[in-house]
Amino acid sequence: MRVFTNERGERVPGLHQFGAVRSTVVYDIFKFTCDDDGGHARGGALPGRAAYQAQVHAYIEQFGGEPGAPVVLDFEDILLTEMSGRAARHALDLWKRLIIWTKETVPGSPVGMYGFDWKPGNRELTRELYEDGLLDLFAPEAYWWPDQTRTTWTDRFAAAVGHARALAPGKPVHPYFHPHYIGGGELPPDVWSYSVDRFRELADGVVIWEPSTANAGSPAAGWVSRYAQEWGHASGAAGPFTVTLGTVAAVRGSTVTARLTVTNVSATATDATPIDSADVSFDTPVVPVLPPGAAWTCAADIAVPPHHPYSTIPLRLALGAQKVCLGIVVD
């Protein structure tokens, strides 16, 4: 499953360090609306091609969108699922114009529309937006609200994916996900892992939306560590161990010492296993023989570059053949 990240600003988490692809969301700076009389921007004339394309370029620069990465249009006031009659037809025409202008701006990048979701209204009009030469992917939201249960979240997400598959078979679905509840605190580890499992089961990728320094989480238990372990590109080789890192107060230009804990989660004893990393040095570089369920701890020295530009830093470890990726927050 491909993972994309929408990040902008100074010292953002930098999830591309863990293998995510930087992609772009184009927000509705023009304040598009449609009514029975046509389409409008801020209640007046629509922008021309040059003005619109300049704004797309500006968002690509803000987000650092990589060539070939998705560009998602977030124009929620002209979603066809919310409209009817002549206004809906005008919105369809406006969408087609904006999609074509976007594709001219970012040749080779797939273009999607944020927010087509579980609502089935105007299905035939929406279907036109996924014809050849127009939208290339679906980008429904898959955020959590504090009052949601697993059942209500899953039903809503599954409906969004189901509608997308029926509307345009073969077009990828890349839901938008956020590390926090909307309007609330950090997602608990079990909710995070549950969400990842559903994305792998139902979707083709996922977009981590606007994670920031402010919501990167605590150094020891924040979502960054869970992200790194779930999706870090160095974690592809499975094995008998789980690895956790104790509290780290990582400061740029310093070396910090943390406690690294390795646990045997398999059903059989493990052999003595060397542990190695280009990012970390260990006081004891070999994990001893561990029976099932046993844990071993060592000191890990982590050097943080003085001018590290992101609010997180990846730690890649090799325990014999097993690869593990961890993440820590940098102050």
Side-chain angles (χ1 to χ4, degrees):
M1 182 178 68
R2 300 197 70 187
V3 181
F4 303 95
T5 181
N6 286 162
E7 303 175 36
R8 56 181 176 166
E10 294 184 356
R11 292 184 174 174
V12 293
L15 299 185
H16 64 282
Q17 301 173 103
F18 304 90
V21 176
R22 287 176 288 192
S23 62
T24 300
V25 56
V26 177
Y27 291 122
D28 190 6
I29 195 170
F30 294 105
K31 305 298 181 185
F32 291 120
T33 58
C34 288
D35 55 27
D36 287 351
D37 296 323
H40 313 281
R42 298 188 186 89
L46 292 169
R49 176 189 278 107
Y52 175 80
Q53 291 181 332
Q55 193 59 54
V56 173
H57 276 301
Y59 277 118
I60 291 172
E61 184 175 347
Q62 288 179 32
F63 285 100
E66 299 180 32
V71 175
V72 173
L73 309 180
D74 184 2
F75 306 149
E76 297 176 46
D77 287 339
I78 56 171
L79 285 176
L80 296 179
T81 53
E82 305 296 330
M83 312 188 77
S84 61
R86 292 171 57 192
R89 294 296 315 186
H90 289 309
L92 175 65
D93 292 339
L94 178 55
W95 271 110
K96 288 182 177 181
R97 180 191 311 180
L98 299 176
I99 293 164
I100 290 170
W101 286 354
T102 304
K103 294 177 84 74
E104 292 174 353
T105 312
V106 289
S109 288
V111 175
M113 175 180 67
Y114 171 81
F116 173 78
D117 48 30
W118 61 95
K119 296 181 180 179
N122 284 328
R123 288 179 60 83
E124 292 309 311
L125 295 186
T126 302
R127 193 188 308 275
E128 292 188 35
L129 294 180
Y130 290 88
E131 294 176 347
D132 290 346
L134 294 173
L135 292 176
D136 305 297
L137 61 94
F138 290 92
E141 58 92 345
Y143 305 132
W144 283 82
W145 275 262
D147 61 346
Q148 279 185 305
T149 65
R150 290 189 179 189
T151 298
T152 58
W153 181 89
T154 304
D155 287 348
R156 178 166 156 162
F157 175 55
V161 175
H163 287 157
R165 302 293 191 207
L167 198 67
K171 301 276 186 178
V173 179
H174 299 319
Y176 268 63
F177 183 62
H178 191 60
H180 278 53
Y181 289 107
I182 300 301
E186 186 177 325
L187 294 180
D190 61 323
V191 172
W192 176 280
S193 295
Y194 178 82
S195 304
V196 172
D197 288 343
R198 299 292 78 70
F199 295 145
R200 287 180 169 139
E201 174 187 352
L202 298 173
D204 305 289
V206 64
V207 183
I208 310 296
W209 174 71
E210 291 270 22
S212 70
T213 301
N215 65 33
S218 64
W223 66 265
V224 171
S225 290
R226 289 195 293 281
Y227 172 86
Q229 293 183 58
E230 292 280 5
W231 281 318
H233 60 71
S235 61
F241 301 112
T242 61
V243 183
T244 58
L245 197 66
T247 301
V248 180
V251 178
R252 290 169 182 81
S254 68
T255 297
V256 296
T257 299
R259 303 303 296 179
L260 192 79
T261 300
V262 178
T263 304
N264 177 9
V265 294
S266 72
T268 60
T270 57
D271 297 328
T273 306
I275 181 169
D276 186 42
S277 173
D279 308 309
V280 185
S281 60
F282 310 97
D283 63 344
T284 308
V286 177
V287 181
V289 172
L290 292 178
W296 169 84
T297 300
C298 72
D301 292 332
I302 304 162
V304 183
H307 303 295
H308 186 65
Y310 306 109
S311 63
T312 72
I313 192 168
L315 305 177
R316 298 180 179 89
L317 313 175
L319 291 87
Q322 182 177 350
K323 308 296 183 184
V324 176
C325 186
L326 304 174
I328 62 172
V329 176
V330 180
D331 292 329

